[in-house]
Amino acid sequence: MKSVKVGLLGLGTIGTGVAKILTRKQEMIERAVGKKIELVKICDRNTSNDRGLGLPEGMLTDNVAEIMDDPEISIVVELIGGTTVARDFVLMALDKGKNVVTANKALIAKCGEELFEKAREKGVTIGFEASVGGGIPVLASIQTSLQANRIESIQAICNGTCNFILSEMESKNAPYADALKEAQRLGFAEANPTLDVDGSDSTQKLAILAQLAFGVKVDWQTIPRVGVDVVDAIDVTFARELGRKIRLLAIAERAEKGLVLKVAPTLVPENSNLAMVTNAFNAIRIVGDSVGPVFYQGWGAGQDPTASAVCSDVIDCALGRTKITFDSLRLWSDEREGVPILDAKEITSRAYIRFNVEDRPGVLAEISAALGKRGVSIAAMLQHPKENMDDKLVTIILMTYEAPAAALQEALDELATIPYIGKPVCLAVRD
């Protein structure tokens, strides 16, 4: 049996997982799919450590040409990360007529249009299941299983670091800083966690989901986003009193005038499926016009789950299944008729607002007036009695009815200029 030969770029955490599966489960995969898939070359800067894989002599190299110039290698797996060297290598592989598999959400979100155009030009494919949701097969489901549906909405918990932090704050009443430190200790968060906690990672994944489900080509940096780094332990406490939990949601949904795209910490009902997603798990809730709501949950990161998704793409590519969907869907092309994207100022939602204000008469009236003159109605208010009567600051929580984001932001900007009110924290609310 002629084998399908694979070259791997990057032997980090995920690369090691992929190499482990392709080398140690080769016979199992061959029995299951009827085709031999053979990892023949791995390129990494460090050739002195094969990560305990026991690789054959000569398989590990630091010369990328050994993969790119080998005519027998038909699939290149890119697991370098980033959008510079990775982009160059992916374009090189495509230009040489090789199919590409990647887990690089930043690369797909930023360079998707360029890469997919090159792949179509060369008659090859790009598999990217592992770029969203780790081991959860959500992209394959959108591209195949849900094709008979008009997708109405997607709500995704797609960053395991953020979900772990919020879960830690809930279960242990931990401050944000302590929860982040624990996430770093356990390896769920990077030493520099900015791209996770500020919402960037989730927003890149949302841009990919929006292309697949709604056909929109969007610069992920233009999508409104708020990260979990604004959430305080007191917000978790008040959310609990309101019968809710806080989750970082990436949302894409059809509205009357266009597609709503946003990423924000969101108060969801405590008995909802999304609220039940804890630890470093991911979950994606998709609503189709025929199928209704479907829910996917699983590990959203980590060596084995992500490597599983990468290898699934490799197998699909080897069997020719990727080629069928790649050619038919025309992803990141002008042939797809995308849904108009709603301007961020036109997005409406309910809101949770926390004010830390000086304890003086008339403060609540000023807050209500600033909101009221812009048509933002207050649905509920919460306030805890001061434990120490000498404290000068008190915390006030307001829940609003549905209101335009622009009107709400105007009111909050005005209130933030008042010295005895201070800058408010605003989170989204969904039922």
Side-chain angles (χ1 to χ4, degrees):
M1 180 184 296
K2 185 178 180 181
S3 69
V4 176
K5 291 183 167 51
V6 179
L8 172 62
L9 305 178
L11 195 60
T13 300
I14 308 306
T16 300
V18 169
K20 193 187 305 179
I21 290 174
L22 292 181
T23 56
R24 297 180 184 176
K25 295 185 176 181
Q26 187 182 83
E27 290 184 6
M28 184 199 80
I29 292 171
E30 184 178 342
R31 287 196 303 270
V33 305
K35 185 164 283 193
K36 185 176 182 180
I37 299 173
E38 186 180 4
L39 178 63
V40 296
K41 190 69 68 173
I42 302 171
C43 181
D44 192 81
R45 287 180 298 183
N46 181 2
T47 58
S48 63
N49 182 4
D50 72 355
R51 313 301 197 274
L53 292 169
L55 298 173
E57 183 77 25
M59 180 180 281
L60 185 58
T61 180
D62 59 3
N63 182 5
V64 73
E66 292 186 35
I67 290 176
M68 298 300 178
D69 294 341
D70 186 340
E72 293 196 340
I73 293 177
S74 60
I75 301 173
V76 173
V77 179
E78 181 278 308
L79 296 173
I80 300 169
T83 58
T84 52
V85 174
R87 170 188 168 275
D88 294 341
F89 284 170
V90 167
L91 284 172
M92 188 185 303
L94 295 172
D95 208 44
K96 288 181 175 288
K98 301 180 189 296
N99 299 289
V100 169
V101 172
T102 181
N104 193 336
K105 71 269 178 180
L107 181 67
I108 297 297
K110 181 179 180 181
C111 307
E113 186 171 5
E114 176 189 25
L115 299 179
F116 277 70
E117 182 180 350
K118 173 62 74 173
R120 282 189 288 270
E121 175 192 324
K122 295 295 180 177
V124 290
T125 65
I126 300 173
F128 55 106
E129 179 63 63
S131 65
V132 178
I136 305 172
V138 64
L139 302 189
S141 294
I142 294 174
Q143 293 179 87
T144 56
S145 303
L146 298 176
Q147 278 295 288
N149 286 262
R150 184 179 104 141
I151 304 298
E152 300 296 337
S153 70
I154 296 175
Q155 297 176 47
I157 297 171
C158 53
N159 185 279
T161 299
C162 294
N163 209 54
F164 177 86
I165 290 170
L166 293 171
S167 297
E168 190 80 356
M169 293 172 74
E170 283 174 1
S171 62
K172 299 181 180 178
N173 294 317
Y176 168 79
D178 291 354
L180 172 58
K181 193 174 294 183
E182 179 66 3
Q184 290 171 320
R185 185 185 74 81
L186 294 173
F188 291 128
E190 303 285 348
N192 180 358
T194 303
L195 290 178
D196 290 317
V197 300
D198 76 354
S200 293
D201 177 84
S202 294
T203 311
Q204 290 170 346
K205 293 170 181 174
L206 180 61
I208 296 170
L209 289 168
Q211 165 61 207
L212 265 66
F214 302 100
V216 298
K217 290 189 286 187
V218 58
D219 179 352
W220 71 268
Q221 295 184 83
T222 66
I223 298 174
R225 74 181 184 275
V226 179
V228 297
D229 47 2
V230 304
V231 179
D232 193 85
I234 196 169
D235 299 314
V236 175
T237 299
F238 277 113
R240 187 181 297 119
E241 291 182 23
L242 293 162
R244 295 175 177 271
K245 293 183 178 181
I246 301 174
R247 295 291 179 264
L248 183 69
L249 293 189
I251 294 171
E253 61 185 1
R254 294 179 190 267
E256 186 178 342
K257 295 181 179 179
L259 185 69
V260 172
L261 296 174
K262 65 177 181 179
V263 170
T266 305
L267 278 71
V268 297
E270 63 185 356
N271 59 355
S272 65
N273 286 337
L274 290 169
M276 304 297 181
V277 181
T278 59
N279 208 290
F281 277 87
N282 279 195
I284 300 97
R285 183 181 188 271
I286 301 175
V287 178
D289 65 343
S290 295
V291 74
V294 289
F295 193 78
Y296 304 84
Q297 180 177 344
W299 289 110
Q303 183 183 86
D304 292 342
T306 307
S308 169
V310 170
C311 291
S312 175
D313 271 344
V314 170
I315 293 167
D316 279 352
C317 186
L319 295 178
R321 292 195 292 240
T322 306
K323 180 68 172 170
I324 296 171
T325 54
F326 188 87
D327 288 345
S328 62
L329 292 180
R330 311 299 291 177
L331 297 173
W332 279 278
S333 78
D334 293 333
E335 295 176 41
R336 298 197 86 199
E337 186 178 347
V339 180
I341 299 175
L342 199 65
D343 187 278
K345 294 179 180 179
E346 296 182 80
I347 296 174
T348 64
S349 70
R350 297 174 62 196
Y352 159 104
I353 312 169
R354 169 167 52 87
F355 297 93
N356 291 324
V357 304
E358 288 185 18
D359 187 13
R360 59 164 69 190
V363 173
L364 186 55
E366 288 189 69
I367 293 172
S368 300
L371 294 168
K373 72 182 181 183
R374 293 172 176 85
V376 181
S377 298
I378 297 172
M381 187 194 85
L382 287 177
Q383 183 178 354
H384 287 168
K386 289 195 297 183
E387 294 181 5
N388 184 345
M389 296 308 294
D390 292 330
D391 287 344
K392 293 183 178 180
L393 297 179
V394 295
T395 300
I396 297 173
I397 304 296
L398 298 182
M399 294 274 281
T400 74
Y401 287 110
E402 194 93 5
L408 180 59
Q409 193 57 55
E410 263 187 42
L412 297 182
D413 288 344
E414 177 187 321
L415 291 167
T417 65
I418 302 174
Y420 49 84
I421 291 181
K423 185 178 181 180
V425 170
C426 183
L427 308 180
V429 177
R430 293 184 73 87
D431 290 322

